[in-house]
Amino acid sequence: MTSTLLRPVTRLLDLALPPVCAGCRREGDAICSACLPSAMRRVDLPAGTPLGLAEGPPHPLLQLEWCSPFAGTTRRALHALKYDGERRLARPLGEAVAARWRRAGAGGDVLVNVPVHVGRRRERGYDQAALIARDAADALHLPWANALDRTRATTAQFRLDRRHRAANVHEAFAVRPETRASIVNRWVVLVDDVVTTGATLCEAGRALLDAGAAAVSAVCVARER
C-alpha cells in the first residue's frame, strides 16, 4: 500500500529532477551521447551475425536479435529501470531495440512484450519490457500489443542453471483473450530486456503461435552469456 501511495510522488520527482546518465552518472540524459554507443554495440551489425548460441535462433523463433552484451552501461541502465524506478531509461533502450530491428529484422507486424507476473508488476508499478516495447514500437511505426499474461510466478531465470530454465517457464504464458485479434495471422516481434538461453522467449512464442500468430521473432536489449 505504501509503495502505491508513493508512486504519484515518484512521478513528480521524475519530472522535477534532471535525469542522470546510467553510464557515467552525469546529469543531462538518461543515457548520454558518450555512453549510448556501449548500449548499442550490436545495432549496426548485419542480419545473420552469429548469435553465439549452439544452433542459431531457438525454436520456434524465426529470428533473435539483441543490442549489446549485458554489461557496463546496458547492465546499469536495465538495473535502474527494473529496480530503481527510473522509467526514463525505457525510451533510449526502446530506441536501441528499434534501431537493431530496423537494421537486422526480417519483418514483423506487431510488437509484443514478454510480461512480468502481475505480482511483480504491482510491486514495481509498471512492466519494464512493456515500456521498452512501447517506445520501440513508436520508433518503428508499428503497433504494440500488451497481448501476453504470465500465468504463474516463476523463479528469476538468472538464478537457475541452463538445464532448469526451460522447465521454469514451461506453459507460463497465455494470450489475453481480449487482445487475441491483435496477433492472429500476424508476425509478432517479441521484446524483452535480457535474453540468455532464449527459454522464456521460446515459451512466450509458443503461446502466441498456439493462439494464432503467423510467426514469432524476438529482439532484446541485451544478452547475458
Side-chain angles (χ1 to χ4, degrees):
M1 176 65 99
T2 301
S3 61
T4 302
L5 292 172
L6 287 174
R7 278 176 206 142
V9 177
T10 301
R11 293 192 183 104
L12 287 173
L13 288 173
D14 283 347
L15 294 172
L17 299 176
V20 175
C21 175
C24 64
R25 308 304 298 166
R26 294 177 182 171
E27 287 188 0
D29 294 299
I31 303 178
C32 74
S33 58
C35 293
L36 189 59
S38 67
M40 302 179 68
R41 195 169 301 171
R42 300 184 79 255
V43 163
D44 291 327
L45 293 178
T49 301
L51 299 177
L53 299 174
E55 298 176 355
H59 181 76
L61 303 179
L62 295 183
Q63 187 176 3
L64 171 58
E65 297 290 343
W66 61 90
C67 302
S68 73
F70 186 55
T73 295
T74 304
R75 185 187 186 102
R76 289 191 289 273
L78 286 171
H79 190 279
L81 174 61
K82 290 174 72 171
Y83 305 120
D84 297 337
E86 187 48 80
R87 293 183 294 274
R88 289 177 289 198
L89 284 160
R91 180 162 294 279
L93 296 176
E95 290 175 350
V97 163
R100 179 59 189 154
W101 197 250
R102 192 181 296 114
R103 176 71 173 89
D109 301 314
V110 57
L111 272 62
V112 171
N113 55 287
V114 176
V116 297
H117 187 259
V118 63
R120 187 65 55 82
R121 186 172 66 247
R122 189 179 299 119
E123 177 185 327
R124 292 179 184 165
Y126 58 91
D127 180 330
Q128 75 279 352
L131 298 181
I132 293 168
R134 185 179 61 191
D135 284 325
D138 285 346
L140 290 167
H141 305 293
L142 288 173
W144 161 66
N146 189 14
L148 286 169
D149 274 334
R150 192 177 290 244
T151 57
R152 58 182 174 81
T154 56
T155 302
Q157 291 285 73
F158 72 85
R159 300 181 186 277
L160 304 173
D161 61 32
R162 290 173 181 263
R163 294 176 302 163
H164 295 99
R165 290 182 179 185
N168 181 49
V169 293
H170 181 61
E171 297 185 347
F173 300 97
V175 171
R176 301 167 64 191
E178 67 272 22
T179 64
R180 187 172 180 271
S182 67
I183 61 97
V184 170
N185 296 324
R186 293 188 177 180
W187 186 342
V188 176
V189 181
L190 276 169
V191 177
D192 205 359
D193 49 5
V194 182
V195 58
T196 304
T197 63
T200 301
L201 292 167
C202 290
E203 203 60 37
R206 289 188 186 96
L208 289 162
L209 291 169
D210 288 347
V216 181
S217 300
V219 58
C220 299
V221 175
R223 177 163 181 231
E224 183 177 24
R225 297 181 182 274

